[in-house]
Amino acid sequence: MSKSFAYLDAINKEKWTASLDGGWRCGILTTNMSECINGVLKGARRLPVSALVEITLERTVHYFHVRAIKGQKMLQNNQLWTDFACKMFISWQQKAVEHTVTKYSHAQQSASVVTRRQGRHGMNTHVVKIANRECSCGKWNQFGIPCSHAQKVCGAYNISAASMVKDYYDVMAYNNTYSKHFEPVQSEDYWDDPNFQLVHDPTIRTVTRPGRNQTTRIHNEMDWRQTRARQEAQQQQGDSSVQENVP
Ligand SMILES: [Zn+2]
């Protein structure tokens, strides 16, 4: 058994496999997190290490600064949740008006919800169980915000749908995330002694060639067909232009 297999096998599979996570789709949250950082650092590639560190710090500082101001504004406006959650909740609230609800069990606070017909679409039935915080459409689980079907059922049972929005959308949680600040960095002359010698060896640098970088993708028969088709088209074009030039 390889080391990596043993490492993964020791972790609860609900935490890292989409097939066994019970529909929670935890990966969506973590993937979004890493994609977000990729977005922040867009363009910071193929640079020297010192430039990469500098640009990462610069952009993170900017990111925190802008969001700290935004968080304060949301707080002053007495906003309950972040913009994303507000927009989502209100749009689903408006949609809920068009649904029809049938209550099933008071203990489970369950009900079926039928959506309104819209041309060829609509007339879908969804099952909502408020006690389990779930709707068969899956959106409640995925976003942590009661979907239009869940909001309709909440209304039918006289429950506040707003109280079921996940607390990570709270403006307070947003503010806490960006409440810390970075210390400005002094000039290099004031830095502590690194306690090790930096060795700069220009021979280990990769050789840069002019022109477009060569792709490392393994080509398959689809690429060969495409190249051949392009060559044939170019040849045909060439033939016709020669013919046109003939007096
Ligand atoms: Zn739903």
Side-chain angles (χ1 to χ4, degrees):
M1 195 160 57
S2 72
K3 247 183 171 181
S4 48
F5 180 86
Y7 171 80
L8 285 172
D9 200 43
I11 306 169
N12 187 353
K13 287 181 186 62
E14 280 175 25
K15 299 259 167 70
W16 63 276
T17 61
S19 58
L20 297 172
D21 77 350
W24 284 101
R25 298 289 179 266
C26 307
I28 290 174
L29 196 68
T30 44
T31 309
N32 276 354
M33 207 80 92
S34 53
E35 288 298 331
C36 154
I37 296 298
N38 278 350
V40 173
L41 301 175
K42 212 167 187 179
R45 285 169 202 169
R46 290 178 165 271
L47 295 171
V49 176
S50 57
L52 278 174
V53 173
E54 209 171 306
I55 208 165
T56 306
L57 175 71
E58 202 179 277
R59 287 192 187 172
T60 315
V61 168
H62 177 72
Y63 206 80
F64 269 68
H65 178 70
V66 170
R67 275 157 184 74
I69 296 171
K70 198 179 168 191
Q72 285 306 315
K73 269 189 190 158
M74 288 195 285
L75 211 59
Q76 282 162 10
N77 295 340
N78 291 324
Q79 205 170 308
L80 215 54
W81 311 302
T82 56
D83 293 349
F84 171 82
C86 281
K87 211 174 138 193
M88 205 79 139
F89 187 86
I90 291 165
S91 108
W92 279 339
Q93 195 175 40
Q94 288 163 348
K95 226 174 163 187
V97 181
E98 299 172 348
H99 301 335
T100 317
V101 62
T102 309
K103 293 198 261 185
Y104 273 70
S105 152
H106 196 79
Q108 266 197 323
Q109 292 159 330
S110 63
S112 72
V113 176
V114 182
T115 60
R116 193 170 70 103
R117 182 189 289 281
Q118 283 174 322
R120 279 194 189 165
H121 303 283
M123 293 300 282
N124 298 315
T125 305
H126 290 289
V127 174
V128 179
K129 289 176 184 167
I130 301 288
N132 298 353
R133 306 278 194 273
E134 63 180 31
C135 173
S136 58
C137 79
K139 287 176 190 163
W140 192 359
N141 244 344
Q142 188 180 341
F143 294 100
I145 301 166
C147 57
S148 60
H149 321 112
Q151 290 198 33
K152 185 75 186 179
V153 178
C154 280
Y157 282 112
N158 235 339
I159 302 163
S160 156
S163 67
M164 281 178 229
V165 174
K166 286 275 185 192
D167 51 10
Y168 49 69
Y169 287 119
D170 275 6
V171 169
M172 285 308 287
Y174 186 93
N175 270 306
N176 280 341
T177 308
Y178 299 107
S179 60
K180 301 279 180 284
H181 64 272
F182 291 87
E183 281 299 322
V185 182
Q186 299 238 33
S187 152
E188 203 173 329
D189 302 336
Y190 294 91
W191 294 2
D192 290 338
D193 189 55
N195 226 355
F196 57 83
Q197 199 195 348
L198 281 171
V199 182
H200 175 60
D201 182 1
T203 56
I204 56 171
R205 290 188 66 178
T206 51
V207 184
T208 50
R209 281 187 298 268
R212 191 186 288 181
N213 286 321
Q214 231 172 15
T215 173
T216 47
R217 192 166 63 83
I218 298 162
H219 284 234
N220 59 21
E221 54 181 358
M222 281 173 72
D223 298 293
W224 301 328
R225 272 188 210 146
Q226 234 175 15
T227 316
R228 205 179 305 149
R230 198 167 49 233
Q231 281 169 350
E232 279 171 10
Q234 278 170 349
Q235 199 164 6
Q236 273 177 6
Q237 264 183 356
D239 291 347
S240 62
S241 65
V242 170
Q243 278 174 359
E244 277 165 19
N245 291 339
V246 173

